Amino acid sequence: MKWALLFCLCNLTLWGQFQFNFDHSVPVTVDGISLKSPWAGGLNSPQFSSLDYDFDGDDDLLVFDRSSDQLRVFKFSLQNGLPHYEVDLRAQLFFPPNLRYRVTTYDYDQDGRKDLFCYAIGGIQAYRNIGTPAQGLVWQAYSPYLVSNYEGPNLNLYISGADIPALVDVEGDGDMDILTYHISGEYLQYHQNQSQELYGHSDSLIFKLKNRCWGGYREDVTSNALFLNDTSSYCNGGNVVGPQLGENNTNKAHAGSTVLALDLDNSGVLDLVLGDVAYGNLIKLINGGSAPNQNSDMLSADYNFPSNTTPANVQLFPAAYYLDIDGDAKKDLLVSPNANNVSENENSVWFYKNLSSNQGPVFAFQDNDWLQGDMIEHGAGSRPVLADLNQDGLLDLLVGNFHAYKPVLNKESRIAYYQNIGTASAPAFILVDNNFLDLANSGLGLNFMPSVGDLNSDGKPELIIGRDNGQLALYLNTTSGSTPSFTLQTSILTDASGSSIQVPMFASPQLFDLNEDGKQDLIIGYKGGGLIYYENTGSTTNPLFTLQSSALGSINVAVNGPDGFSNAWFFKWQDTTYLLVGAQDGRIHFFDSISNNILGAYHEITADLVGLSVQIGAYASASVGNLDNDAHLDLIVGQDLGGLFYLEDQPGSDLGLQDLQQIGIRVYPNPFSNSFSVQIDGAHELRAGLYDLNGLLLAEFEFQQGLQTVGLPQLKTGIYFLSFSDGQVLKMVKQ
């Protein structure tokens, strides 16, 4: 019961006087099909594993997307006998932060709880799952990285950052071994777990390099060709027991490989399914040995796996995952690209159903957009814009994208048009055109960032498109009926002097009447992370843009490097102008103090939609509107994975951050890892108590004027409340 309460409260988000909650209820129809999870955010290069994250007895789906290191959890259930996955966007708060490159699960200590394995510099790091139904997920770091005995010295168990190794019980003795490629990329190494050999049980991660050429084959470093029963000095004609140090790696470079080990022919020994960084096919290797270690030479190679059905064929670097997808107790096959932003990103999850058994699976191709086909998906990057395009009084939706990959290794950018076919109080979207205005063939380049606004006062909005070269294209609205129509006026928008409006790459425009003179002004975000402001100094029917500020609001969201990829969304609510600025690091910055201070420094209420940065992902963008004509705003958020999130303002669910700031209290970061800071401005002295969800007092603090840091490294992951002596309460998230 405590766990259920935890995840219920976890859906509440503090954001100034706005408190946005994830909303999955707004329907979206694509090609006549109502999407099951339209607002799940998209997928590009996902890695799949399973984990019972909510301790209900069912394995759920853990998805880690390599393209921008995003973690998602999809809760599994059977509904009317059919598998159903529902994204829990808050669940990732309960995983270790800063996960990179790869994530998978394996119950190495055989306690019934799957543990977590992820990338560490040059190798792999393990987190033991010590959670309970009462506590929820709790992770205990096993070590900074795993080591292996290389015939004497214990060294970092090397795994390239590009690789996906096989975590598998090679010998069938109950402990987790590792199959991974040698640093050269030519030979598969077998690191044997010594837990059973040393202690007689399987609760340790102690490895020894058992075989330096497991399987007896060599992979060509310039192609995906394999040489079986290799006679090189390294393999000595086959599977090699007894590794040696000091191999010569001169002029060898390992680009990347993925390894899946499973028994494909019910022989009792592990076969292999391999993917190569430069190719789109999977290779099946059949193990001809009778024992997993002493004679595990591969007998045959199939370069078109699964050859009994539609072979896997992704653009680059396929990885295969073996897990039960449909809840029939038989493990299926998922295939997706392991490439980082260089491969297919719309139809990139291939699903093969297992028609036989786990000991001798037979795979049948089902589709190439599994899970993706249930959500809004537009490749890499999504920029949402709410606007009434067909003049029916309902806000429609445009979605620009960075690019989508098309065969072979080509990119194209598009804008999708979703018409709102709902009612004034109940929005519902249908995809009308995935390539609005045929922009994919316009020659305008990549990274289309749209904005709309009525520039000539005819009651119809014009369309401006930001381009990757920093320029802007202008389309005039020529709609005469209910179907939106636009005509290109210029591919290079100019200012009042006739000069090209040009920002330093990746223009992200917004049309908004910033100075409240009844004319649409132009604000442009760009790669560097600032905002540029052009005032409309023309007439209501003939816009002229004059540069007023190259650093609007003194804003710069490039906090972790030279690039910020800022995109602005000004909006007015209850006679006050606010500003959202999405950024490369996944944050949505929130500003006020804009009215009567256009050219001054804006006040940043928060650098994040509290806690949402871990969900939104890289290259965040946002659009605000009142879609259901109630007293609350709605928020649509785009990001790197090409999908969208939908959130609704639900005030009263928690105390907002702005309310705390009114008396000079700031608490950050939130969520926090091991510590958070409390800033008291002015002559205030306050006591505070930290409470859990059951109202149990865990700690007490006394805060005086100034900055103080509270360290809580032993505090378990979860939701807490920081209650101040003046009656104010702030929800805190420990991740």
Side-chain angles (χ1 to χ4, degrees):
M1 192 67 184
K2 183 178 179 181
W3 181 262
L5 180 61
L6 171 68
F7 274 82
C8 177
L9 290 177
C10 206
N11 287 326
L12 304 178
T13 301
L14 308 182
W15 184 47
Q17 71 231 49
F18 302 107
Q19 299 150 28
F20 286 93
N21 296 350
F22 288 109
D23 188 345
H24 301 287
S25 66
V26 177
V28 178
T29 301
V30 175
D31 295 332
I33 299 172
S34 181
L35 300 184
K36 298 177 182 178
S37 304
W39 310 104
L43 295 172
N44 286 349
S45 304
Q47 303 169 3
F48 298 96
S49 55
S50 59
L51 174 73
D52 184 8
Y53 86 106
D54 54 1
F55 294 86
D56 66 349
D58 294 323
D59 266 352
D60 307 296
L61 188 67
L62 184 64
V63 182
F64 179 78
D65 203 295
R66 184 170 186 146
S67 69
S68 52
D69 296 334
Q70 295 187 54
L71 190 73
R72 302 267 176 83
V73 175
F74 290 81
K75 180 175 174 57
F76 171 81
S77 63
L78 286 173
Q79 297 187 1
N80 298 320
L82 299 175
H84 177 75
Y85 289 93
E86 183 174 346
V87 66
D88 186 342
L89 294 169
R90 282 293 185 181
Q92 56 201 292
L93 287 172
F94 303 100
F95 287 81
N98 303 318
L99 298 174
R100 296 187 295 157
Y101 299 156
R102 60 174 174 265
V103 172
T104 191
T105 58
Y106 194 102
D107 184 11
Y108 80 87
D109 55 3
Q110 301 296 300
D111 64 354
R113 296 170 293 193
K114 290 186 177 180
D115 309 294
L116 195 70
F117 294 85
C118 56
Y119 172 78
I121 297 177
I124 189 167
Q125 183 175 11
Y127 289 90
R128 186 185 178 200
N129 185 352
I130 60 173
T132 66
Q135 294 177 311
L137 284 176
V138 179
W139 302 104
Q140 182 184 66
Y142 185 90
S143 66
Y145 51 84
L146 300 183
V147 299
S148 185
N149 185 318
Y150 286 78
E151 285 295 291
N154 286 323
L155 304 173
N156 179 23
L157 201 165
Y158 175 79
I159 302 174
S160 164
D163 282 4
I164 294 182
L167 309 184
V168 63
D169 183 4
V170 174
E171 295 182 310
D173 61 354
D175 52 21
M176 185 197 83
D177 309 301
I178 296 179
L179 295 172
T180 188
Y181 273 95
H182 178 264
I183 193 171
S184 70
E186 293 181 278
Y187 311 100
L188 193 68
Q189 295 184 331
Y190 167 36
H191 293 266
Q192 183 189 54
N193 193 331
Q194 300 293 291
S195 185
Q196 282 287 350
E197 284 76 9
L198 294 175
Y199 309 118
H201 47 76
S202 304
D203 60 357
S204 301
L205 296 170
I206 303 172
F207 295 95
K208 179 178 181 179
L209 180 56
K210 190 69 172 180
N211 295 74
R212 61 188 172 102
C213 189
W214 193 84
Y217 71 94
R218 176 171 62 88
E219 182 175 323
D220 187 70
V221 295
T222 61
S223 71
N224 70 339
L226 302 176
F227 303 96
L228 306 185
N229 299 308
D230 183 59
T231 58
S232 69
S233 58
Y234 198 87
C235 283
N236 292 325
N239 187 66
V240 176
V241 179
Q244 299 176 1
L245 293 176
E247 298 95 346
N248 183 10
N249 297 318
T250 304
N251 298 323
K252 297 178 181 179
H254 178 48
S257 299
T258 63
V259 184
L260 172 66
L262 70 165
D263 187 359
L264 288 166
D265 56 0
N266 199 18
S267 65
V269 292
L270 294 175
D271 310 299
L272 296 175
V273 177
L274 307 177
D276 187 278
V277 67
Y279 298 86
N281 63 305
L282 289 172
I283 305 174
K284 177 183 73 174
L285 291 176
I286 293 297
N287 194 334
S290 57
N293 186 32
Q294 298 302 319
N295 61 342
S296 296
D297 292 344
M298 299 298 160
L299 288 182
S300 64
D302 179 0
Y303 289 80
N304 294 292
F305 178 77
S307 56
N308 65 297
T309 183
T310 304
N313 183 24
V314 303
Q315 286 198 3
L316 277 178
F317 204 4
Y321 307 91
Y322 191 46
L323 65 167
D324 182 13
I325 294 302
D326 50 13
D328 63 357
K330 295 184 291 187
K331 293 185 178 181
D332 309 294
L333 189 73
L334 290 178
V335 183
S336 62
N338 192 49
N340 184 13
N341 293 319
V342 292
S343 189
E344 169 66 57
N345 48 28
E346 288 181 297
N347 302 100
S348 57
V349 182
W350 294 48
F351 170 42
Y352 295 83
K353 182 177 175 59
N354 186 354
L355 303 180
S356 184
S357 66
N358 293 330
Q359 289 71 41
V362 176
F363 299 115
F365 174 77
Q366 303 297 301
D367 54 60
N368 64 355
D369 64 347
W370 183 80
L371 209 59
Q372 287 174 305
D374 295 332
M375 61 182 76
I376 294 172
E377 173 62 79
H378 294 291
S382 52
R383 163 73 172 183
V385 173
L386 290 168
D388 184 5
L389 294 178
N390 59 357
Q391 302 298 289
D392 64 352
L394 304 177
L395 289 175
D396 307 301
L397 176 64
L398 292 178
V399 184
N401 75 341
F402 293 173
H403 59 262
Y405 281 95
K406 296 300 173 185
V408 175
L409 301 179
N410 291 321
K411 298 179 182 179
E412 66 178 29
S413 287
R414 305 186 299 263
I415 292 177
Y417 166 42
Y418 291 84
Q419 182 183 347
N420 187 346
I421 59 171
T423 66
S425 60
F429 294 100
I430 183 172
L431 178 63
V432 176
D433 194 344
N434 191 37
N435 183 20
F436 188 54
L437 307 179
D438 195 29
L439 291 170
N441 300 308
S442 64
L444 293 177
L446 299 173
N447 199 73
F448 291 166
M449 299 287 104
S451 180
V452 296
D454 188 1
L455 291 173
N456 55 14
S457 300
D458 64 352
K460 300 180 293 186
E462 273 63 56
L463 171 67
I464 286 182
I465 299 175
R467 305 167 57 188
D468 58 350
N469 65 0
Q471 296 175 337
L472 305 173
L474 171 62
Y475 285 77
L476 294 181
N477 195 325
T478 55
T479 302
S480 59
S482 60
T483 302
S485 176
F486 294 84
T487 301
L488 178 66
Q489 184 185 57
T490 178
S491 60
I492 304 176
L493 186 66
T494 58
D495 63 15
S497 68
S499 300
S500 170
I501 296 177
Q502 179 93 42
V503 301
M505 299 184 65
F506 298 99
S508 182
Q510 187 196 10
L511 290 169
F512 181 80
D513 184 7
L514 187 58
N515 59 0
E516 302 183 31
D517 65 352
K519 297 174 293 186
Q520 298 289 303
D521 304 303
L522 177 64
I523 302 96
I524 313 171
Y526 59 96
K527 183 180 180 183
L531 298 179
I532 297 174
Y533 166 47
Y534 284 85
E535 180 186 356
N536 187 347
T537 57
S539 66
T540 56
T541 58
N542 183 32
L544 295 172
F545 296 111
T546 301
L547 179 65
Q548 295 294 343
S549 176
S550 297
L552 183 66
S554 299
I555 291 169
N556 188 347
V557 295
V559 295
N560 296 321
D563 299 330
F565 287 87
S566 53
N567 58 83
W569 188 273
F570 286 90
F571 67 99
K572 198 165 185 176
W573 187 245
Q574 297 178 349
D575 296 322
T576 301
T577 299
Y578 299 96
L579 168 63
L580 303 180
V581 182
Q584 181 185 25
D585 65 0
R587 289 177 168 82
I588 301 244
H589 300 252
F590 179 38
F591 299 86
D592 65 2
S593 301
I594 298 169
S595 300
N596 303 314
N597 185 42
I598 294 176
L599 299 180
Y602 298 166
H603 170 236
E604 185 166 9
I605 297 175
T606 177
D608 191 9
L609 297 183
V610 179
L612 282 184
S613 64
V614 295
Q615 286 89 27
I616 292 177
Y619 306 99
S621 62
S623 180
V624 171
N626 190 358
L627 283 159
D628 48 9
N629 288 305
D630 58 8
H632 315 303
L633 286 174
D634 304 293
L635 177 69
I636 295 182
V637 176
Q639 45 80 52
D640 179 60
L641 299 188
L644 299 174
F645 302 124
Y646 188 104
L647 302 95
E648 184 174 19
D649 177 28
Q650 296 182 5
S653 49
D654 265 308
L655 184 67
L657 180 61
Q658 191 180 49
D659 297 319
L660 288 176
Q661 290 180 331
Q662 288 175 357
I663 66 161
I665 304 175
R666 299 189 181 192
V667 182
Y668 60 92
N670 189 14
F672 66 97
S673 295
N674 293 320
S675 65
F676 61 85
S677 296
V678 178
Q679 175 73 48
I680 306 292
D681 299 326
H684 293 288
E685 294 184 4
L686 293 174
R687 291 177 291 105
L690 187 71
Y691 296 84
D692 67 10
L693 290 173
N694 292 325
L696 178 65
L697 178 63
L698 304 177
E700 290 185 287
F701 315 100
E702 291 187 4
F703 299 113
Q704 298 179 348
Q705 182 178 355
L707 180 65
Q708 297 154 87
T709 298
V710 176
L712 296 167
Q714 304 304 317
L715 188 69
K716 293 182 172 60
T717 300
I719 302 289
Y720 300 90
F721 295 96
L722 189 62
S723 178
F724 291 90
S725 55
D726 66 351
Q728 299 183 90
V729 180
L730 179 64
K731 184 181 69 177
M732 304 291 295
V733 179
K734 173 71 161 52
Q735 64 181 13

